[in-house]
Amino acid sequence: MKRIYKSILAASVLASSVACSDLLDTEPRQSISVDVALSSPDVLEPLLIDVYGSYRGSGRMGSNLLVLPEVMADNFTRNQNRGTFAAQYENRFRAHMGVWANYSSMLHLNIVIEGREALPDQIVGEAFAFRALHYLHLNAIYAYFPTAIVEGRDFGGVPLVREAILSIEDVTFPPRAPINDVYDAIFEDVDAAVALMNNSGTRARITQAGAQAIGARAALYAGRWEKAIEYAEAVIASGVGQLSSRASYVDDWYEPVHREAIWYFEFQTQENQGPNTSPMSIYVSSATRNVPDYIGNGDFTPAQQVIDLLEETDVRAGLFIPVDLPQRPNPIGTVELHKYNGNTGDPNRDNITVFRISEMYLILAEAYAQLGNTAMAHQNLNILKKRSIGPDYEATATGQELIMEILTERRLELIGEGHRFFDLKRYGMDIDKTAVDLTGEVIPFTDERILAPLPTGDLEINPNLVQNFGY
């Protein structure tokens, strides 16, 4: 009988049995038969929990995927307090984002999906949705978006591995799938998740609305505007997460669960993200409302161009806070972003919002604008801008000017949350870092540095993989 050994199953069970409030208590085992494993919730559910644990690690949603898409673009200036992410900020060759480890955690997800007959629908739905998110990040980093491709340099999306590997005979060496095939697979997984799930559970786990939010962002990335509208409207209609009001906007960022959160990663007391990699330490060097004696690193602070975009009445300015204490890494007066402020009450421990309602309204505005429905684009943009700037605001732009206004609104609303690099990339826009407080360079959209290099080791093992242009 085929067997799954400890490195695949039991180690995952053991690793996932700590650090999460929703864990199952599971005894480690040396080996377990495939038949038993695939029919045992005590084995399968901890595999899913393990993916939650790994995906909120610093290499993904715990830090890198929040910070790198911002500092590799034009939203932040670097304070030379230490060398963290200096290479990415300077857009050095081969210094990029990397989530190829997603294939390791998808081994677990594929096994959970294979054993779905033994599991509650909600658990299976979470696995489908999480797999969709894995491919969403992979394709966004290693491939072009369908909306903007450099001719002659498009070598496809990423490999699709959607079957459980239960023995060495199951190992395959797939080539890169076409970009749109990857998005088709993402939507297939999202729809499977939505059909299986509801919204009755905690927002610290993926709910039906969380799966729909993954679909909305994926459809935006793919340029499938009708589908983006369908998913985003479903999220808003679900009531999972409520739009922050003008009065509550700043305060909501200091709460352990953001009012707008559709899905968030929860960090328990013993799960401090640490002073080296926490988004709090990377973005903040001085006191926050939740941690008045805080001393962080403040490696990156908002670029002056972003600060200048804030209108006098913009409520979001309340999150751009000057350093006002001495003996901090950044001088008094340096403006820092306080979205990550120790919202749990502890330094370097923030619950991380993965999707929130404001993003869904931005997706609706952009999708409607792309479809030429200016009235609906204005309606959704006004919801956010009346909240942010004031009740008298009315959108008037049309055509390409409207698209650019929406991108600017995304820049202000989503700053620090890991979107800016991908927004520029989706539109084939150069990364202009010529401002005095940036690097002085323009990275053309045609530059090979826009795409991340595939790992050398995988290229050596898999003869069917093709490296990205220029690497």
Side-chain angles (χ1 to χ4, degrees):
M1 181 181 290
K2 296 178 182 178
R3 307 192 64 87
I4 307 172
Y5 287 94
K6 184 176 180 181
S7 60
I8 296 177
L9 281 178
S12 300
V13 171
L14 182 60
S16 68
S17 64
V18 295
C20 245
S21 58
D22 294 315
L23 293 183
L24 300 172
D25 293 326
T26 308
E27 293 298 324
R29 57 199 76 191
Q30 290 303 311
S31 65
I32 185 168
S33 73
V34 169
D35 291 341
V36 171
L38 295 180
S39 62
S40 173
D42 288 344
V43 172
L44 295 171
E45 291 189 37
L47 293 180
L48 175 63
I49 298 301
D50 187 57
V51 177
Y52 274 98
S54 64
Y55 221 78
R56 65 188 185 137
S58 62
R60 285 178 276 188
M61 285 305 301
S63 183
N64 288 17
L65 288 177
L66 301 175
V67 176
L68 293 181
E70 303 290 334
V71 306
M72 290 175 63
D74 54 0
N75 269 356
F76 285 84
T77 187
R78 176 174 172 248
N79 305 299
Q80 298 186 22
N81 302 330
R82 55 177 185 160
T84 299
F85 298 143
Q88 287 88 346
Y89 172 74
E90 295 171 0
N91 301 94
R92 297 179 200 166
F93 187 64
R94 286 189 174 272
H96 213 287
M97 294 168 269
V99 292
W100 206 257
N102 281 14
Y103 283 105
S104 295
S105 46
M106 279 194 291
L107 290 173
H108 296 173
L109 296 174
N110 289 342
I111 291 171
V112 173
I113 292 169
E114 180 73 16
R116 57 187 174 271
E117 292 185 5
L119 294 168
D121 285 350
Q122 187 76 15
I123 296 293
V124 181
E126 289 178 64
F128 274 117
F130 231 139
R131 189 168 69 179
L133 183 68
H134 279 59
Y135 278 116
L136 174 65
H137 284 143
L138 281 163
N139 229 33
I141 291 169
Y142 295 101
Y144 289 110
F145 293 115
T147 53
I149 293 174
V150 178
E151 186 176 355
R153 298 188 179 186
D154 171 23
F155 298 153
V158 295
L160 287 171
V161 181
R162 304 177 76 211
E163 300 295 329
I165 297 175
L166 305 176
S167 73
I168 192 66
E169 289 83 9
D170 295 331
V171 175
T172 61
F173 299 96
R176 299 175 67 165
I179 293 171
N180 276 305
D181 286 7
V182 179
Y183 283 107
D184 287 340
I186 290 171
F187 298 131
E188 183 179 328
D189 280 353
V190 167
D191 291 342
V194 169
L196 291 166
M197 302 171 79
N198 57 50
N199 291 315
S200 63
T202 171
R203 286 183 284 165
R205 301 276 291 262
I206 307 175
T207 61
Q208 184 183 70
Q212 290 162 330
I214 294 169
R217 189 185 294 177
L220 187 81
Y221 283 4
R224 302 191 193 182
W225 311 117
E226 294 91 347
K227 190 176 284 290
I229 291 168
E230 175 187 348
Y231 285 130
E233 287 184 339
V235 175
I236 293 169
S238 74
V240 177
Q242 302 295 317
L243 188 69
S244 295
S245 68
R246 183 167 173 81
S248 73
Y249 186 86
V250 171
D251 292 342
D252 289 343
W253 284 98
Y254 291 90
E255 294 297 322
V257 181
H258 197 293
R259 181 191 303 262
E260 292 198 4
I262 302 162
W263 170 32
Y264 72 96
F265 282 117
E266 182 179 39
F267 289 81
Q268 299 295 309
T269 303
Q270 72 275 20
E271 297 168 349
N272 191 290
Q273 293 146 310
N276 293 323
T277 60
S278 76
M280 183 180 185
S281 183
I282 288 171
Y283 286 138
V284 179
S285 74
S286 191
T288 74
R289 184 192 302 180
N290 284 333
V291 190
D293 59 349
Y294 186 68
I295 301 178
N297 289 291
D299 302 288
F300 296 97
T301 48
Q304 188 61 47
Q305 185 181 73
V306 176
I307 296 171
D308 290 344
L309 288 172
L310 291 165
E311 299 188 28
E312 287 185 10
T313 59
D314 197 325
V315 68
R316 293 171 296 204
L319 294 171
F320 291 71
I321 299 178
V323 175
D324 62 358
L325 293 174
Q327 298 180 333
R328 296 298 192 269
N330 290 332
I332 289 177
T334 303
V335 175
E336 299 180 336
L337 180 69
H338 280 224
K339 282 187 174 179
Y340 308 98
N341 50 63
N343 62 30
T344 63
D346 292 335
N348 302 314
R349 186 167 70 88
D350 282 271
N351 292 333
I352 302 295
T353 299
V354 185
F355 291 94
R356 60 187 180 94
I357 290 295
S358 286
E359 181 187 352
M360 298 300 110
Y361 283 106
L362 288 164
I363 289 172
L364 287 174
E366 184 176 344
Y368 277 121
Q370 285 288 356
L371 291 172
N373 191 335
T374 302
M376 287 301 294
H378 284 174
Q379 177 178 310
N380 285 282
L381 183 58
N382 282 339
I383 288 171
L384 293 188
K385 298 201 77 166
K386 285 176 181 291
R387 185 270 307 276
S388 300
I389 296 174
D392 294 334
Y393 178 85
E394 292 291 341
T396 59
T398 60
Q400 186 61 28
E401 184 182 351
L402 176 58
I403 296 293
M404 296 309 296
E405 181 177 358
I406 293 166
L407 288 180
T408 298
E409 186 66 9
R410 286 181 63 89
R411 188 177 188 184
L412 290 173
E413 181 61 38
L414 303 176
I415 185 171
E417 299 176 56
H419 293 269
R420 181 61 174 169
F421 181 90
F422 301 124
D423 284 348
L424 295 174
K425 182 180 172 184
R426 289 191 294 116
Y427 280 91
M429 298 169 67
D430 298 344
I431 303 173
D432 186 348
K433 303 178 92 165
T434 55
V436 66
D437 59 342
L438 298 176
T439 65
E441 183 182 11
V442 174
I443 298 93
F445 177 65
T446 55
D447 195 294
E448 59 265 28
R449 290 172 290 172
I450 296 298
L451 300 186
L454 275 62
T456 302
D458 287 80
L459 290 163
E460 293 173 349
I461 293 170
N462 183 354
N464 298 314
L465 278 183
V466 178
Q467 179 63 281
N468 277 326
F469 179 87
Y471 295 104

